């Protein structure tokens, strides 16, 4: 069942098919949930994701900077804080068990797939407005939420990861971000925004970022 993360998510998810299915059902995800993913692939992914989250936090800080509404600024600030003080420490903890220190994580060479994705999101924000940026940020937030819901009870060697994204705290983030995006769209474009030409531009950002998420999983699987 598709999670209810709001109106924009439902429309953008539909517009991104079949890329969305390739994202949430990627071989990396399926192997992770089954416990058959090679440990080296998981650790390579975690190291790259640590770098990714630094850029992602900066992108949410850009949402803060581009917004003129206190409620949006508060949530953007909260998400950036959560990335820096919640998700990233989890990466540090898991990698630390494998002999990969935080100092080593901070020196991780950025992969081409990581660079392509993070720079696309940031460029969307710098070249466009807050709505462009939110559309590019959304696939990561919502995709991990949907994957977490599907596999939260999978257990196994990667059960800690799936339980985190399927858990109540992360699901609340997804619902909060969905509400933020819906209210931001209505405030700036009106309730009939899906019928406007601008809607396709935003769906294109979401679709492109989804494709880059697929590439990120493949990078983890191939350890490239």
């Amino acid at each position: 069942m598709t999670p209810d993360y709001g109106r924009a998510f439902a429309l953008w998810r539909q517009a991104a098919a079949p890329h969305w299915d390739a994202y949430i059902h990627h071989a990396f995800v399926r192997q992770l949930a089954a416990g058959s993913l090679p440990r080296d692939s998981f650790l390579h992914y975690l190291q790259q994701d640590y770098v990714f989250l630094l850029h992602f936090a900066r992108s949410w800080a850009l949402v803060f900077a581009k917004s003129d509404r206190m409620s949006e600024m508060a949530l953007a600030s909260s998400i950036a804080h959560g990335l820096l003080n919640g998700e990233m420490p989890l990466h540090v903890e898991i990698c630390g068990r494998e002999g990969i220190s935080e100092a080593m994580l901070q020196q991780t060479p950025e992969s081409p797939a990581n660079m392509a994705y993070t720079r696309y999101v940031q460029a969307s924000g710098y070249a466009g407005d807050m709505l462009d940026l939110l559309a590019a940020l959304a696939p990561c937030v919502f995709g991990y939420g949907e994957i977490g819901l599907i596999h939260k009870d999978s257990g196994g060697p990667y059960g800690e990861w799936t339980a985190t994204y399927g858990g109540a705290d992360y699901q609340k983030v997804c619902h909060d971000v969905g509400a933020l995006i819906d209210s931001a769209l209505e405030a700036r474009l009106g309730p009939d925004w899906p019928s406007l030409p601008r809607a396709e531009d935003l769906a294109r950002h979401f679709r492109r970022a989804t494709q880059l998420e697929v590439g990120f999983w493949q990078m983890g699987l191939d350890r490239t």
Side-chain angles (χ1 to χ4, degrees):
M1 179 181 292
T2 302
D4 182 10
Y5 297 146
R7 183 188 189 193
F9 169 64
L11 293 172
W12 290 345
R13 185 184 187 280
Q14 183 177 21
H19 306 296
W20 190 260
D21 285 341
Y23 168 29
I24 66 169
H25 299 301
H26 192 277
F28 182 97
V29 176
R30 289 186 279 107
Q31 291 180 29
L32 184 145
S36 60
L37 182 71
R39 195 67 178 175
D40 286 347
S41 290
F42 183 63
L43 292 175
H44 180 73
Y45 155 77
L46 280 181
Q47 291 172 83
Q48 288 297 321
D49 200 47
Y50 181 89
V51 178
F52 173 88
L53 290 174
L54 283 172
H55 292 294
F56 208 54
R58 292 187 182 107
S59 295
W60 277 102
L62 185 56
V63 173
F64 180 100
K66 283 184 169 280
S67 176
D68 58 358
R69 305 176 76 196
M70 288 294 293
S71 59
E72 294 170 350
M73 295 167 73
L75 182 57
S77 175
S78 174
I79 291 173
H81 183 272
L83 292 169
L84 294 170
N85 296 281
E87 284 194 68
M88 291 180 69
L90 177 61
H91 287 52
V92 171
E93 180 182 347
I94 295 174
C95 287
R97 298 175 201 154
E98 305 286 341
I100 302 169
S101 69
E102 185 170 5
M104 293 167 66
L105 280 174
Q106 292 172 357
Q107 297 300 315
T108 300
E110 193 171 7
S111 76
N114 198 347
M115 190 175 295
Y117 187 9
T118 57
R119 300 321 187 270
Y120 176 78
V121 173
Q122 291 170 355
S124 299
Y126 283 117
D129 62 14
M130 196 183 80
L131 299 181
D132 295 299
L133 180 55
L134 287 172
L137 283 165
C140 183
V141 177
F142 296 142
Y144 275 55
E146 185 165 349
I147 290 167
L149 284 179
I150 294 170
H151 300 295
K152 65 180 180 179
D153 298 321
S154 60
Y158 306 115
E160 182 179 18
W161 189 96
T162 52
T164 294
Y165 293 104
D169 288 346
Y170 189 79
Q171 290 301 312
K172 183 179 186 303
V173 171
C174 293
H175 288 287
D176 288 346
V177 170
L180 166 70
I181 293 174
D182 285 347
S183 65
L185 285 162
E186 290 202 18
R188 290 162 177 82
L189 302 178
D192 296 327
W193 68 265
S195 66
L196 300 178
R198 180 75 194 283
E200 176 52 33
D201 293 333
L202 297 173
R204 190 179 301 114
H205 280 309
F206 185 92
R207 184 164 54 247
R208 181 58 179 147
T210 298
Q211 292 174 294
L212 292 166
E213 280 282 6
V214 175
F216 201 92
W217 286 142
Q218 195 63 45
M219 171 274 298
L221 193 63
D222 296 339
R223 303 191 289 281
T224 55

